[in-house]
Amino acid sequence: MALPPSHIEQSGVGDALSRLGQDTSIIGQSLSENLGEGLKAVLGAAVGVGMMYLISPTLTLIMLVIFPPISASSYFYGRFIRKLSLKTQEAMGDMSKLAEERLSAHRTVTASNTQPSEEKLYAGKVNDVYSLQKKETVANGLFQGFNEVAGDVGMIGLLIYGGFMVKSGDVSVGDMTSLLIYVNWIEWSLNSESAPVGVS
């Protein structure tokens, strides 16, 4: 209701209803699932890094090299997804608006025998929503894949440098095993944390 009347008149009731429905669902999911998962992920990563530091500060610093690229990719991915989410909401609003207008004039559409053209017009709106959702899915796949690769690169670096440290006697095999377990724990935490949600 805070939106100006001109926005409702221009965008239509369908757009407003679409935004209300989607935003309510997103906020509910954020409060019930994402907030708890995010806190658990942050605590898990912090504890994992702390335990690694207690075992070997040098290897921990090597692992922390992967954090800047992951943080940067998360920032840009979040901005991109937010813009894409707004476009998707607008496309869904247009689709709802068209359906509302045509269904309210169903008798006129039937009388003028324009059902095929109306079906094509609505199919075009559906395809717009589909293409935006497809972009979001591809972006999510690329982002998650990048995080997995960054985690694997960090793991390989840990194994190589850690192998030399084991050979020189700076750390034990048991310490290396513990470090690898903590790395997996941190990687899981980062993957859990990197699921941004956009609200209009």
Side-chain angles (χ1 to χ4, degrees):
M1 298 303 291
L3 292 171
S6 58
H7 177 83
I8 303 294
E9 290 168 6
Q10 183 179 356
S11 302
V13 177
D15 179 69
L17 290 175
S18 173
R19 285 174 182 264
L20 281 172
Q22 279 196 334
D23 287 356
T24 303
S25 173
I26 288 169
I27 290 169
Q29 184 183 1
S30 297
L31 292 175
S32 63
E33 296 176 17
N34 294 348
L35 185 62
E37 288 294 321
L39 288 172
K40 188 166 73 173
V42 169
L43 286 173
V47 169
V49 171
M51 294 303 293
M52 284 181 66
Y53 190 82
L54 288 176
I55 295 170
S56 173
T58 305
L59 290 175
T60 304
L61 291 175
I62 289 172
M63 273 304 302
L64 289 177
V65 170
I66 68 168
F67 280 100
I70 289 177
S71 299
S73 68
S74 297
Y75 174 75
F76 289 113
Y77 172 73
R79 286 174 61 92
F80 175 75
I81 285 297
R82 177 169 170 75
K83 289 178 183 176
L84 201 58
S85 177
L86 290 173
K87 286 181 182 178
T88 303
Q89 284 185 334
E90 287 174 4
M92 290 185 74
D94 290 342
M95 186 178 71
S96 300
K97 180 182 175 185
L98 180 67
E100 181 188 354
E101 289 174 353
R102 295 307 185 265
L103 288 173
S104 61
H106 184 264
R107 193 177 293 274
T108 305
V109 171
T110 305
S112 59
N113 199 28
T114 56
Q115 293 98 323
S117 61
E118 296 296 342
E119 286 176 7
K120 286 181 181 178
L121 189 61
Y122 186 74
K125 298 290 184 185
V126 172
N127 282 333
D128 290 343
V129 174
Y130 170 75
S131 64
L132 289 167
Q133 292 281 5
K134 189 177 175 183
K135 279 183 184 178
E136 188 173 338
T137 303
V138 170
N140 185 50
L142 290 172
F143 175 69
Q144 294 294 341
F146 173 78
N147 278 356
E148 291 287 336
V149 169
D152 290 342
V153 167
M155 181 81 78
I156 291 167
L158 181 70
L159 284 170
I160 293 171
Y161 195 83
F164 287 116
M165 290 184 73
V166 169
K167 191 175 180 181
S168 64
D170 293 330
V171 293
S172 65
V173 176
D175 287 340
M176 270 301 298
T177 305
S178 298
L179 285 168
L180 292 174
I181 292 170
Y182 287 127
V183 167
N184 282 327
W185 189 359
I186 293 167
E187 188 177 2
W188 170 84
S189 297
L190 289 175
N191 286 333
S192 300
E193 202 175 351
S194 58
V197 177
V199 180
S200 63

